[in-house]
Amino acid sequence: MQFNAKVTDICKQRSACAIVAVDSKNRFTDSGAALDKANDGGLSKLLKRGDLGKSAGSTLMIPQVEGGADRVLMVRSSNAPISQAEFRKLATASANAVKDLKDASSYLTELTVTDADIQWKAQQTALAAGLASYKFTRCLSDSKEHPLAKFTVHGIDKKQLKAAQKGAAVGAAQAQGSNVARELGNLPGNICTPNYLVSEAKALAKKHTKLTTTVLDNKKMESMGMGAFMSVAKGSDEPAAMIAMNYKGGKTSQKPIVLVGKGITFDTGGISLKPGAAMDEMKFDMCGAASVFGVMNALVAMEAPVNVVGIVAAAENMPSGRASKPGDVVTSMSGKTIEILNTDAEGRLVLCDALTYAGKFKPSVVIDVATLTGACVIALGSHATGLYANQDKLAEDLIGAGETTGDRAWRMPLWDEYQPMLNSNFADMQNIGGREAGSVTAACFLARFTEEYNWAHLDIAGSAWNSGAAKGATGRPVPLLMQYILNKK
């Protein structure tokens, strides 16, 4: 989709639809008032009929009005100033209302939002529009691309135009990256295999000279001592891969941010087989890897002046005669031994070797992203990503990035008191810690492999996809990660 920000007169700006806000007292912002005047008060008359709902985010589309736009979309807001959360709600509601049109122009930036400037409002408006434009069509026999192709954000005045353009560009990039992640996450496991992810990474490198891709196959990983990773991969006929996408957009002296994504392209649970109900959703177990792909795609597209390495640990977790068994002991790349008590706790087994491998890039920080534990869903639901970190400043920066974008995270404890739950009688550690604090002990397991650098873990088991009628990948936490990276440039 094409995004831009302009200072536009709503009565002259050509588009399929102009989006304006109306508060609880039926008052327009400036552009809406101008359009109402151009229509001899026609919009106000419609409001008096009560056709626009009273709750924030209610919308009403009006066709064939006087002015530059073919339609007007009125969106109900509270009285000014409104909260950031409400602004996101209005931006999302309006974007969903116009997503089937060829183009739209939004004047929601005229709203007064608590602790938010024009750049933030433009960013949120563009992000919402980009997300709304996505539709999964890859596996439909009669598919049509979403028609929304152009979206314009109103810049209010010339003094604020540059800030609005910058905000719209960032929001558009975050949406692009999120949609890449959603597409990969939504693909079925028979298409999106580890080898498919390899081909995607190589194709991305061919398009961008500042990005190089390195792939480690099963044989190479075995020779490097990645016994934990291979204990998962060996149960599948599909070859596994450790993919490293190295983007060098910053100064050569700048240490890279390393992102590590769990890429289990389908998770049966292995010998510790999952229940059959909703097992189809285990194609989403690679959403951590998908988010890494999303971030890398967006960064190279916007030529961000940063150095970022995206590592993807890609494998299937399958039951077979070669699969790991409960009670097996394996040796990780770090040399530490692990007793596998549950083969369905496989994510931490692939990640621990990936985290050791990440150290070779001499990172400034390492952030892993994984649909790691059902326990995190129980703890936080789908609203927040679980955040663990071995450095307070890193945790604060990630939480701040989430608050800016609305892609929120909540810090969880990473205390030494939890570590004894991983003690094993037969190895250096076991891969599960018991029924209590499952998300915490999983993070404590990973922490044992990240002692040499600044590290954060994002458990996205609750935030990476939706179930039920709205089943599908969400693209989270791409906005959070991108905001964090761009804040560091």
Side-chain angles (χ1 to χ4, degrees):
M1 188 196 306
Q2 179 186 346
F3 288 89
N4 58 21
K6 297 195 293 187
V7 177
T8 57
D9 182 344
I10 196 170
C11 297
K12 297 179 180 179
Q13 172 66 31
R14 296 296 305 172
S15 70
C17 184
I19 301 167
V20 298
V22 183
D23 72 11
S24 61
K25 295 183 179 180
N26 286 343
R27 295 176 299 195
F28 293 99
T29 52
D30 291 346
S31 291
L35 194 61
D36 185 41
K37 183 178 180 181
N39 283 272
D40 297 324
L43 303 185
S44 296
K45 292 177 184 177
L46 288 172
L47 289 173
K48 289 178 181 179
R49 295 176 185 173
D51 292 344
L52 177 62
K54 295 182 179 180
S55 60
S58 298
T59 61
L60 177 64
M61 184 83 75
I62 306 166
Q64 298 179 348
V65 295
E66 292 295 326
D70 298 331
R71 305 166 185 82
V72 173
L73 180 74
M74 295 192 288
V75 187
R76 178 71 74 189
S77 72
S78 302
N79 296 332
I82 65 173
S83 68
Q84 292 186 10
E86 181 175 328
F87 186 86
R88 292 191 192 97
K89 184 177 182 179
L90 303 186
T92 299
S94 59
N96 285 328
V98 301
K99 65 183 181 181
D100 292 322
L101 302 177
K102 63 179 181 179
D103 64 88
S105 53
S106 176
Y107 296 80
L108 295 183
T109 47
E110 293 179 341
L111 285 164
T112 301
V113 183
T114 302
D115 296 327
D117 58 14
I118 183 65
Q119 182 173 325
W120 183 90
K121 289 185 284 186
Q123 178 179 336
Q124 296 302 311
T125 305
L127 174 59
L131 293 176
S133 71
Y134 172 79
K135 183 178 181 181
F136 183 78
T137 60
R138 173 76 176 269
C139 297
L140 302 179
S141 59
D142 184 17
S143 62
K144 294 182 180 179
E145 294 298 323
H146 241 251
L148 188 59
K150 183 180 179 181
F151 196 86
T152 302
V153 177
H154 179 54
I156 300 182
D157 59 45
K158 291 183 178 180
K159 291 181 180 180
Q160 299 187 47
L161 179 58
K162 189 174 182 180
Q165 290 172 333
K166 182 177 180 180
V170 171
Q174 290 173 334
Q176 177 199 1
S178 297
N179 290 342
V180 168
R182 292 163 83 185
E183 184 72 8
L184 288 173
N186 287 334
L187 285 172
N190 61 321
I191 294 177
C192 188
T193 62
N195 190 56
Y196 182 88
L197 295 180
V198 169
S199 65
E200 289 292 292
K202 289 182 176 179
L204 187 62
K206 285 183 179 180
K207 294 178 183 177
H208 302 278
T209 58
K210 293 181 180 180
L211 180 75
T212 56
T213 290
T214 303
V215 179
L216 307 180
D217 59 16
N218 287 14
K219 185 176 180 180
K220 182 64 175 178
M221 287 187 284
E222 287 174 352
S223 70
M224 294 173 67
M226 296 187 184
F229 186 107
M230 293 310 300
S231 73
V232 177
K234 68 180 184 178
S236 175
D237 290 341
E238 291 284 347
M242 186 76 78
I243 306 165
M245 295 171 281
N246 194 342
Y247 171 64
K248 297 180 179 179
K251 298 178 181 178
T252 55
S253 60
Q254 181 188 77
K255 290 184 176 181
I257 295 170
V258 177
L259 306 179
V260 178
K262 174 188 171 185
I264 302 298
T265 57
F266 196 83
D267 181 19
T268 66
I271 297 301
S272 305
L273 193 66
K274 291 179 179 291
M279 194 193 283
D280 66 288
E281 295 187 12
M282 288 302 97
K283 71 177 185 178
F284 296 122
D285 208 25
M286 48 69 67
C287 281
S291 68
V292 172
F293 270 96
V295 171
M296 300 308 293
N297 271 267
L299 290 176
V300 297
M302 66 187 302
E303 298 183 346
V306 293
N307 294 333
V308 179
V309 178
I311 296 175
V312 168
E316 282 186 341
N317 187 24
M318 302 290 285
S320 75
R322 299 186 305 275
S324 295
K325 307 172 294 296
D328 286 359
V329 175
V330 297
T331 303
S332 67
M333 185 182 181
S334 71
K336 297 174 182 177
T337 59
I338 304 163
E339 181 186 13
I340 302 173
L341 294 186
N342 189 325
T343 65
D344 194 23
E346 87 298 331
R348 65 203 72 181
L349 295 175
V350 301
L351 285 174
C352 70
D353 280 344
L355 289 168
T356 301
Y357 179 61
K360 76 179 287 292
F361 295 96
K362 302 186 186 306
S364 62
V365 63
V366 176
I367 305 168
D368 77 73
V369 193
T371 52
L372 205 62
T373 64
C376 193
V377 185
I378 300 303
L380 298 174
S382 62
H383 298 291
T385 289
L387 166 63
Y388 299 84
N390 63 9
Q391 185 194 49
D392 289 342
K393 181 63 165 57
L394 173 57
E396 291 167 5
D397 288 347
L398 286 167
I399 288 171
E403 291 297 319
T404 296
T405 59
D407 182 9
R408 303 173 76 183
W410 186 260
R411 192 175 186 183
M412 302 282 280
L414 194 64
W415 301 336
D416 290 340
E417 286 85 347
Y418 290 102
Q419 286 288 353
M421 296 174 70
L422 296 169
N423 289 347
S424 167
N425 291 343
F426 306 106
D428 295 334
M429 70 194 83
Q430 57 193 37
N431 77 324
I432 56 173
R435 186 174 176 83
E436 297 178 354
S439 180
V440 177
T441 54
C444 287
F445 178 94
L446 297 178
R448 298 187 179 200
F449 300 87
T450 61
E451 296 169 343
E452 302 301 319
Y453 47 70
N454 298 325
W455 161 77
H457 161 58
L458 297 176
D459 191 333
I460 60 170
S463 57
W465 79 91
N466 296 317
S467 299
K471 185 189 297 184
T474 63
R476 297 177 64 188
V478 171
L480 182 158
L481 290 170
M482 284 198 62
Q483 190 70 43
Y484 170 80
I485 292 169
L486 295 175
N487 287 347
K488 293 295 179 181
K489 68 180 182 179

